[in-house]
Amino acid sequence: MRSLYIIGTAFFLSGCSSIAVLNPKGTAGEKQLDLLLLSLLLMSIVLAVVFTLFVRFLVKYREKPGQEDDFPTQKAGNKKLEISWIVIPFIIIIVLAVPTFATTYQLDEPFNNDQDPLTIKVTGEQFQWSFYYPEYNITSRDELRIPVDRPITFKLSSKDVIHSFWIPQLGGKRDALPGKENTLRMTAIETGTYSGKCAELCGAEHALMTFDTIVLDKDDFSTWIEKMKDGENN
Amino acid sequence: MPSLAEKNLFSDHHAQMNILAFWFLIGAEVVVFGCLFGIYVSVQELTNNGPGAKELFNLSEIIVSTIVLLSSSFTCALGVYTLKLGKKTMTLVWFLLTISLGLGFVILEGIEFMAYVAEGATISSSPFLGAFYMLLGTHGAHVLFGIVWIFMLLIQLMMYGITKETAPKLFIASLYWHFIDVVWVFIFTVVYLLGKV
Amino acid sequence: MNSIYHYFRTLPSDIILADISFVIIIIATTFLLTRYHKWKWLWSWITSTDHKKIGIMYLVVSFLFFLRAGLEALLIRMQLAFPENEFWVFQGERFNQLTSTHGTVMIFLVATPLLIGLMNVIVPLQIGARDVAFPFMNSLSLWLFISGGILINVSFIAGGSPNAGWTTYAPLSLNEFTPGPSNSYYPIGLQVAGLGTIMGAINFIVTIIKMRAPGMKFMRMPLSTWSMLITSVLIVYAFSALAVALLLLTFERLFGTIILSGSEGNPLIWQHLFWIFGHPEVYIIALPAFGIFSDVISTFSKKKLFGYTSMVFAIILIGFLGFMVWVHHMFTVGLNANINVFFALTTMLIAIPTGIKIFNWLFTMRGGRIRFDTPMLYALGFIVTFVMGGVTGVMLGSVPADYQYHDSYFVVAHLHYVIIGATIFGVLSGVYYWWPKMFGKMLNEKLGKWNFWTFVIGFHFTFFPMHILGLMGMPRRVFTYPEGEGLGWLNFVSTCGAFLMGIGVLFFMLNIYLTTRYGKFVQQHDPWMKRGRTLEWTVPSPPPPYNFARVPVVTSGEPLWTAYEAQKHNIDFEGDYDEIHMPSSSSLPFFMGMAFLIASFGFVFEIWSVAILGMAGVFTTMTIRSFQNKNGYFIPKNKVIYNDKGVGY
Ligand code: HEA
Ligand code: HEA
Ligand code: CUA
Ligand SMILES: [Cu+2]
């Protein structure tokens, strides 16, 4: 996978770091980036083949002066060629499908208890997010603070319409539906502030339904928890 | 084996095109009802604390309307038979009987719905009831449409007799009628019978 | 009633402008029609049952819708040109209306009917038929489409447009969250238009199966015809699913069912139904374009289509697989992993039949004598653009990665690459290609090239940056984005590109104007340097109302080309002339469409008297039709002979 990163970086040359998805700070995001790069590599091969043939045929077989009245030989097809462009794409698809399946199941797997996951109940409503930490019995709004390197299980739901919970740098999104609870798991691997968004059209202020995700180290997180608890008690 | 009369009546190029078009229309209708059944089945359990299929339905009444509707399919088939034989009056009689039975079915269904509404089971009581009324309402509307359609064709039959114009139209209408009966069989099974168990 | 009063009291500036331009357009049209005594002429088009005229009306009306939705796209791009921008009134709710109608109009009232219109003109000609199977129903389809289109289009100035996206997800689209007529326009308008589309599709199917000229076996049909046949089958099934989805939404909004509600019901039912329709729909608007490209590439390469049989099977396979991938639009709603991976696999598999087509097109060009006229340029632009869009589609199919792409600008990029790359390029290619057949004049090549290059370069500038924007974390359907996330300059580039596309469209319009005004009529049946291969190029340009004076007897897949190779000027028409039966024109479809329009307004505003009045109109026209014995008329034999010998060879 390392070599893929290099290709990916080379592909975008500069400005890569400002592209959130290519610069993940969470476990889920990393796995998704692997797939992105793998598919990008495979697709680049496809594009290269198609464009090479395209340019070559256009240059070689354009009508030259004096050919206006030609009758070129009419070919109906070619079995070998036709089979090759069934088989090769099939192989490419298998190469992409297998890691896709594996990653899908991996991301779907619950954390086990000795990983000490933190559960956060996320509720979307027009037009704000609230984050409830059952473990500490505190709620924060439009600001999500999580500890670094500790697995997080988000339990997502909605009070009204469908929203979608997305922190591009930590990992892909999951919808927050009314009357249903969805689960999203990820672990942040670097402290910092990452922007979070609502990705499902939910009304007039859908664009403004953002939140900050602040990843803290263990101590800072505990300090924050304490402060929040005091705040709740007062 | 198509009979001789049938060959003459329906072998016309235009009639054949109509019949082919009609089969694709039936294809579309199959999807429509398939989706409605899908909706119904997926919200069947969502009764919103109101009555479910078990509490609501009274099978013996449904069986009566089922018999009414299915016997109309029988009279309809007889109508087509006499149509092929070229017997105008008999055709008229059988098809009139068919649409009367259809009308009877619609009235029974109306009474059934009214009873439910009186019990407070309305279209907006629960997802289950909403899907129920949508599915049965769509079917009922099809029956109603069939009645009006066949009625108009019968008027034409009276005016022009059995011709290359009127006969294929009536034949297509009969196919339509059988189709809505088949849909009813599915409704009876999925909604009423399985709802009861 | 109340809402109408309310509307006049609170008019924002954009609506006033829309109202004014609406009134001006109406007055100007009325004036021009009167000034040049064209009312009768207009009526003859409105009541026509000639498939060519109906096709042309489809094209004209959907092109007008394209201008409207394109204008909306420009407004979208202006609002998004800078971070935290405030352009005119297009923030919040108004912006949501823009995107929703842009998407809805483009898909339902532009892409679909443009292709149907073009195919309406071409398919009967390609199979050697004199008209479609049901000319009356053809006209009815047109008028239902126009009624539905009017409904969606006036929503902006009458009560508010749909504002929940072209996908109109519940519960946002329900009364509780979007009260008023806005989101009622969507299910009711599309129901009417969709009904017309289903009827049109059945018409195509029967026409292609039953009306082919003698000798035109299935495996001799041109690819445009083949793809229209498969597309029509897809339409019959997919649009029926849509009909139920729309019916459901109508019930929710008008009659108070709670099937889709968040608290008691299940909003995901809408998403399943919508995408069971929605994914086949994207192939419905792609396959006919594939057909057009097959014909164009083969013509302008002077080559037989490579792998004809596998092309046909690829279309069938795409159509079939198209019904089995819908969940790839719902990977993030939280279905279980088994479902997601199954649909990921089916999604990726579609790349194979599509790839077959791409490579067959490429190898059609090999060994040919390629000319770069505008239709071919669009076909070549299609290959590049569509393959780029197709491979991002496969990337989207990779479930976990899609968790990142979903509902971001990456998807917006994908969808425009494939839709504009296939459908819009396809229609432009086809219009340039068949313009002489439709109107008897060649579109100007020089302007055509300007049109092509501005449109295509503008296209890539508009949409390529959107891939990166998506990866940078820009969700779709947002009216603004914050400063400092680096999204600004790419959005600006995209906006500039959109304007370049607009210039491209203006070149196209200019071309049509100049050609119609000053262009010379072509005398040939086959004005494309004698490269035509199929039956439409064997009849005069434009063809007589009955297309073929004598029905051709087909002996090969490419009759005209076979004749050329035998050093003949045209195929041989054998047999005797005879009088020709023509369908009579009828005003009923028009009135039925208008009755539907009235009824729909009644439903949208929940004014039941109007709704009932409209429906009564519908039934009255239907009854009249049922009793009508209009059997058409005959063109006498000597007139047919005179017309046929008078022109051409
Ligand atoms: C003309 C319309 C059209 C076409 C043809 C396609 C074609 C494809 N689409 Fe696209 N799609 C849309 C229109 C279209 N799409 C629209 C409108 C949306 C957004 C809807 C919305 O939410 O608003 C969408 C969204 C969409 C999604 C959902 C994204 C999301 O919301 O998260 C996905 C996911 O899988 C997807 C996949 C694909 C795939 C795999 C194909 C394939 O058919 C592509 C196949 C083609 C190729 C792959 C290129 C040629 C092939 C080769 C050269 C052979 C070799 C290739 C390989 C081995 C890979 N599309
Ligand atoms: C056929 C399909 C089609 C076509 C052709 C287009 C064409 C264009 N689209 Fe669109 N688009 C969709 C289908 C299509 N789109 C869909 C389905 C969506 C999703 C909607 C949703 O999220 O619900 C979407 C969404 C969409 C978005 C995302 C909106 C959002 O998520 O917030 C954007 C943003 O830039 C955009 C831009 C454009 C642009 C710049 C064009 C350009 O190509 C337009 C070029 C045309 C013109 C520039 C018109 C020229 C007109 C003139 C020159 C004016 C003359 C006028 C008069 C004389 C009256 N489109
Ligand atoms: Cu919440 Cu968009
Ligand atoms: Cu799709």
Side-chain angles (χ1 to χ4, degrees):
Chain A
M1 281 299 145
R2 283 295 137 197
S3 63
L4 288 178
Y5 280 99
I6 296 163
I7 295 168
T9 333
F11 197 85
F12 284 97
L13 282 177
S14 63
C16 182
S17 61
S18 70
I19 301 179
V21 172
L22 301 187
N23 190 19
K25 304 291 185 209
T27 46
E30 279 182 335
K31 291 209 178 93
Q32 287 152 357
L33 179 60
D34 288 345
L35 272 177
L36 186 157
L37 293 176
L38 174 66
S39 55
L40 195 60
L41 176 76
L42 294 173
M43 295 307 131
S44 307
I45 297 173
V46 172
L47 289 180
V49 171
V50 171
F51 290 170
T52 314
L53 291 174
F54 181 80
V55 173
R56 201 182 133 80
F57 291 167
L58 282 193
V59 172
K60 202 158 162 202
Y61 300 110
R62 66 185 196 285
E63 184 178 81
K64 290 157 200 114
Q67 292 184 330
E68 287 81 2
D69 297 323
D70 283 6
F71 282 87
T73 5
Q74 306 285 313
K75 267 220 187 89
N78 179 328
K79 278 269 144 45
K80 265 190 204 148
L81 279 173
E82 289 180 52
I83 289 174
S84 74
W85 58 64
I86 295 177
V87 172
I88 297 173
F90 193 76
I91 295 172
I92 296 180
I93 281 165
I94 297 300
V95 173
L96 180 60
V98 170
T100 293
F101 286 18
T103 316
T104 308
Y105 284 111
Q106 271 169 28
L107 291 176
D108 202 45
E109 221 160 77
F111 297 119
N112 47 23
N113 273 338
D114 45 273
Q115 283 172 294
D116 184 28
L118 171 68
T119 300
I120 301 177
K121 281 195 190 264
V122 181
T123 308
E125 67 186 286
Q126 290 176 324
F127 296 93
Q128 61 170 329
W129 294 99
S130 60
F131 306 99
Y132 172 64
Y133 299 68
E135 200 172 309
Y136 311 108
N137 194 22
I138 56 171
T139 305
S140 106
R141 281 184 215 295
D142 285 340
E143 190 189 80
L144 168 67
R145 293 194 186 225
I146 53 173
V148 73
D149 289 333
R150 184 172 167 194
I152 316 280
T153 308
F154 293 107
K155 296 279 181 194
L156 308 162
S157 67
S158 163
K159 272 198 184 152
D160 36 48
V161 300
I162 303 176
H163 304 272
S164 191
F165 175 82
W166 187 26
I167 311 167
Q169 274 197 283
L170 296 187
K173 61 188 76 62
R174 187 61 43 97
D175 292 358
L177 300 157
K180 187 172 182 249
E181 194 175 74
N182 269 336
T183 310
L184 179 67
R185 301 182 191 82
M186 55 178 65
T187 312
I189 53 170
E190 209 177 294
T191 57
T193 304
Y194 310 111
S195 60
K197 335 231 161 184
C198 173
E200 182 67 61
L201 178 62
C202 53
E205 288 172 39
H206 157 64
L208 306 177
M209 198 170 151
T210 56
F211 57 94
D212 278 335
T213 310
I214 303 172
V215 179
L216 302 165
D217 59 33
K218 221 173 167 184
D219 299 339
D220 289 348
F221 186 68
S222 321
T223 329
W224 178 72
I225 293 288
E226 290 311 314
K227 221 178 78 197
M228 285 297 280
K229 273 188 179 158
D230 288 351
E232 301 264 299
N233 292 342
N234 293 341
Chain B
M1 266 304 284
S3 72
L4 204 68
E6 183 182 1
K7 251 192 194 149
N8 290 336
L9 280 176
F10 306 128
S11 63
D12 175 45
H13 188 56
H14 220 265
Q16 284 199 340
M17 293 202 299
N18 281 334
I19 293 171
L20 183 66
F22 179 76
W23 280 115
F24 277 95
L25 188 75
I26 292 289
E29 293 274 25
V30 167
V31 177
V32 166
F33 282 104
C35 292
L36 287 169
F37 274 111
I39 297 173
Y40 176 80
V41 169
S42 63
V43 298
Q44 209 170 9
E45 309 294 324
L46 304 177
T47 53
N48 197 19
N49 299 326
K54 247 193 207 120
E55 293 87 333
L56 204 59
F57 302 142
N58 180 346
L59 263 192
S60 55
E61 285 171 13
I62 310 304
I63 288 174
V64 174
S65 45
T66 304
I67 291 171
V68 170
L69 191 63
L70 292 192
S71 52
S72 81
S73 232
F74 181 65
T75 55
C76 181
L78 287 175
V80 173
Y81 180 70
T82 50
L83 176 73
K84 283 176 190 166
L85 296 180
K87 294 184 181 162
K88 180 174 154 186
T89 330
M90 280 320 282
T91 311
L92 270 174
V93 170
W94 284 123
F95 273 104
L96 270 179
L97 198 58
T98 305
I99 57 178
S100 321
L101 286 167
L103 207 59
F105 169 82
V106 174
I107 291 169
L108 284 176
E109 187 161 65
I111 294 171
E112 182 196 346
F113 283 6
M114 241 115 80
Y116 296 159
V117 171
E119 285 173 43
T122 69
I123 193 165
S124 43
S125 306
S126 68
F128 155 66
L129 280 165
F132 169 78
Y133 283 116
M134 245 181 83
L135 173 58
L136 271 82
T138 309
H139 175 262
H142 275 75
V143 179
L144 216 52
F145 178 80
I147 292 170
V148 176
W149 185 19
I150 294 182
F151 185 68
M152 288 200 306
L153 293 183
L154 290 184
I155 296 179
Q156 290 177 25
L157 193 68
M158 292 217 303
M159 285 162 61
Y160 310 119
I162 297 178
T163 66
K164 269 188 178 170
E165 303 287 323
T166 52
K169 284 189 191 174
L170 212 51
F171 176 66
I172 289 175
S174 79
L175 288 179
Y176 174 86
W177 193 263
H178 291 311
F179 169 73
I180 46 185
D181 277 7
V182 171
V183 173
W184 178 259
V185 172
F186 279 95
I187 291 182
F188 181 72
T189 319
V190 173
V191 177
Y192 292 107
L193 279 184
L194 293 181
K196 273 292 174 191
V197 292
Chain C
M1 279 303 167
N2 219 341
S3 53
I4 297 177
Y5 169 71
H6 186 73
Y7 155 71
F8 279 112
R9 259 192 30 209
T10 54
L11 286 178
S13 60
D14 58 324
I15 294 194
I16 295 180
L17 208 74
D19 277 340
I20 293 173
S21 39
F22 187 68
V23 172
I24 290 178
I25 291 171
I26 297 271
I27 293 177
T29 326
T30 318
F31 173 76
L32 288 176
L33 285 172
T34 316
R35 169 85 174 64
Y36 294 101
H37 309 291
K38 289 285 189 189
W39 283 104
K40 252 201 153 139
W41 167 83
L42 182 69
W43 187 246
S44 77
W45 277 79
I46 287 177
T47 57
S48 170
T49 46
D50 179 343
H51 72 96
K52 299 179 287 299
K53 286 191 170 178
I54 290 174
I56 289 168
M57 281 189 280
Y58 259 114
L59 288 171
V60 171
V61 176
S62 30
F63 184 70
L64 292 179
F65 290 152
F66 172 73
L67 288 183
R68 178 227 151 104
L71 201 64
E72 280 176 327
L74 292 181
L75 294 173
I76 293 175
R77 288 309 330 158
M78 298 238 273
Q79 166 61 24
L80 291 176
F82 309 104
E84 288 164 29
N85 192 16
E86 294 215 352
F87 169 72
W88 204 356
V89 293
F90 297 109
Q91 292 85 42
E93 208 52 75
R94 281 250 163 246
F95 183 88
N96 292 350
Q97 295 188 6
L98 274 189
T99 22
S100 305
T101 38
H102 166 71
T104 311
V105 171
M106 281 293 193
I107 299 271
F108 291 100
L109 307 178
V110 176
T112 321
L114 273 178
L115 288 165
I116 290 183
L118 202 54
M119 290 296 130
N120 227 315
V121 181
I122 295 311
V123 164
L125 290 171
Q126 281 196 333
I127 59 173
R130 287 190 170 141
D131 206 321
V132 294
F134 309 106
F136 178 89
M137 198 161 92
N138 204 11
S139 169
L140 183 56
S141 299
L142 169 75
W143 285 102
L144 290 182
F145 151 64
I146 293 180
S147 300
I150 290 177
L151 209 66
I152 303 270
N153 272 276
V154 299
S155 63
F156 187 66
I157 52 173
S161 295
N163 57 7
W166 85 280
T167 52
T168 310
Y169 279 7
L172 181 61
S173 58
L174 303 183
N175 269 332
E176 190 185 349
F177 299 103
T178 47
S182 60
N183 280 325
S184 301
Y185 275 111
Y186 180 95
I188 293 165
L190 294 186
Q191 191 73 273
V192 175
L195 202 64
T197 312
I198 294 180
M199 284 168 31
I202 292 180
N203 210 338
F204 272 118
I205 295 174
V206 177
T207 306
I208 296 174
I209 293 182
K210 290 275 181 194
M211 312 247 311
R212 280 164 294 135
M216 174 68 81
K217 299 182 184 145
F218 275 112
M219 290 317 260
R220 284 179 181 165
M221 294 193 317
L223 254 278
S224 292
T225 301
W226 253 115
S227 45
M228 203 54 215
L229 177 62
I230 306 298
T231 304
S232 302
V233 176
L234 294 191
I235 288 179
V236 169
Y237 296 115
F239 272 73
S240 309
L242 176 71
V244 176
L246 297 173
L247 186 72
L248 178 57
L249 189 56
T250 311
F251 265 67
E252 296 281 305
R253 291 189 62 88
L254 265 47
F255 308 125
T257 56
I258 49 174
I259 299 168
L260 296 176
S261 83
S263 37
E264 296 90 7
N266 180 0
L268 290 186
I269 290 175
W270 167 265
Q271 295 191 19
H272 281 290
L273 279 178
F274 184 84
W275 290 118
I276 286 174
F277 150 77
H279 191 88
E281 165 69 5
V282 307
Y283 294 115
I284 287 168
I285 60 181
L287 291 182
F290 292 174
I292 295 171
F293 293 128
S294 303
D295 288 1
V296 167
I297 290 176
S298 141
T299 300
F300 288 90
S301 308
K302 248 187 184 177
K303 280 275 309 286
K304 191 187 192 67
L305 190 71
F306 195 86
Y308 175 93
T309 320
S310 62
M311 286 300 240
V312 171
F313 281 104
I315 308 177
I316 297 175
L317 204 58
I318 293 174
F320 179 70
L321 279 174
F323 279 97
M324 310 211 301
V325 301
W326 79 88
V327 167
H328 70 210
H329 298 275
M330 301 170 60
F331 281 154
T332 65
V333 300
L335 302 170
N336 78 41
N338 295 329
I339 297 184
N340 279 355
V341 296
F342 171 78
F343 282 94
L345 185 67
T346 52
T347 299
M348 291 176 187
L349 284 180
I350 291 198
I352 293 172
T354 319
I356 292 177
K357 300 191 74 75
I358 298 278
F359 290 112
N360 278 334
W361 285 317
L362 287 173
F363 278 78
T364 302
M365 298 195 295
R366 187 168 79 156
R369 303 283 182 272
I370 304 171
R371 279 187 62 105
F372 296 93
D373 301 284
T374 314
M376 185 62 169
L377 283 180
Y378 271 111
L380 297 174
F382 151 76
I383 292 183
V384 172
T385 312
F386 182 79
V387 172
M388 290 172 74
V391 296
T392 55
V394 175
M395 291 172 74
L396 288 168
S398 177
V399 183
D402 182 67
Y403 295 161
Q404 287 282 22
Y405 312 133
H406 178 68
D407 269 347
S408 77
Y409 260 77
F410 195 87
V411 175
V412 179
H414 160 74
L415 79 89
H416 287 95
Y417 262 81
V418 281
I419 296 191
I420 295 182
T423 313
I424 302 295
F425 286 8
V427 169
L428 285 168
S429 174
V431 164
Y432 273 97
Y433 182 50
W434 284 306
W435 191 272
K437 192 49 64 186
M438 289 190 279
F439 299 104
K441 294 175 177 181
M442 299 281 274
L443 282 171
N444 183 305
E445 265 305 310
K446 198 162 178 188
L447 280 171
K449 291 201 167 113
W450 276 96
N451 166 213
F452 171 77
W453 286 109
T454 45
F455 197 68
V456 167
I457 295 174
F459 169 83
H460 284 275
F461 270 107
T462 314
F463 296 106
F464 193 81
M466 290 188 187
H467 294 109
I468 306 170
L469 284 170
L471 298 182
M472 289 169 97
M474 182 164 166
R476 55 194 286 210
R477 297 161 172 170
V478 291
F479 68 87
T480 190
Y481 49 92
E483 192 111 44
E485 287 189 12
L487 301 170
W489 71 276
L490 284 172
N491 268 304
F492 183 72
V493 170
S494 171
T495 303
C496 295
F499 277 91
L500 193 54
M501 289 183 87
I503 292 173
V505 176
L506 290 179
F507 273 120
F508 179 65
M509 290 158 72
L510 186 68
N511 199 347
I512 290 179
Y513 174 74
L514 291 180
T515 303
T516 312
R517 191 77 202 271
Y518 304 108
K520 281 207 268 324
F521 280 97
V522 293
Q523 297 305 321
Q524 304 96 314
H525 294 167
D526 174 16
W528 290 111
M529 288 69 65
K530 304 200 65 177
R531 283 165 174 250
R533 312 176 78 85
T534 38
L535 284 183
E536 74 267 32
W537 303 112
T538 64
V539 291
S541 327
Y546 43 80
N547 297 348
F548 295 89
R550 286 174 297 172
V551 169
V553 177
V554 180
T555 51
S556 78
E558 298 172 314
L560 185 57
W561 183 254
T562 315
Y564 284 160
E565 279 186 330
Q567 304 296 328
K568 284 191 257 182
H569 286 301
N570 199 345
I571 61 169
D572 298 322
F573 287 94
E574 285 149 25
D576 291 330
Y577 289 98
D578 201 352
E579 56 177 9
I580 294 175
H581 177 257
M582 299 295 294
S584 21
S585 58
S586 169
S587 57
L588 275 181
F590 171 74
F591 287 118
M592 206 183 282
M594 291 307 115
F596 263 111
L597 187 61
I598 293 168
S600 306
F601 270 114
F603 281 115
V604 168
F605 288 95
E606 302 182 37
I607 307 171
W608 303 117
S609 50
V610 176
I612 290 170
L613 187 80
M615 289 319 284
V618 172
F619 280 108
T620 314
T621 42
M622 268 162 73
T623 312
I624 296 176
R625 169 65 186 166
S626 176
F627 281 87
Q628 227 170 26
N629 264 330
K630 264 195 180 175
N631 278 325
Y633 61 97
F634 284 91
I635 297 185
K637 185 168 161 182
N638 52 8
K639 203 170 165 203
V640 175
I641 297 176
Y642 176 80
N643 282 348
D644 198 43
K645 297 261 160 91
V647 220
Y649 306 109

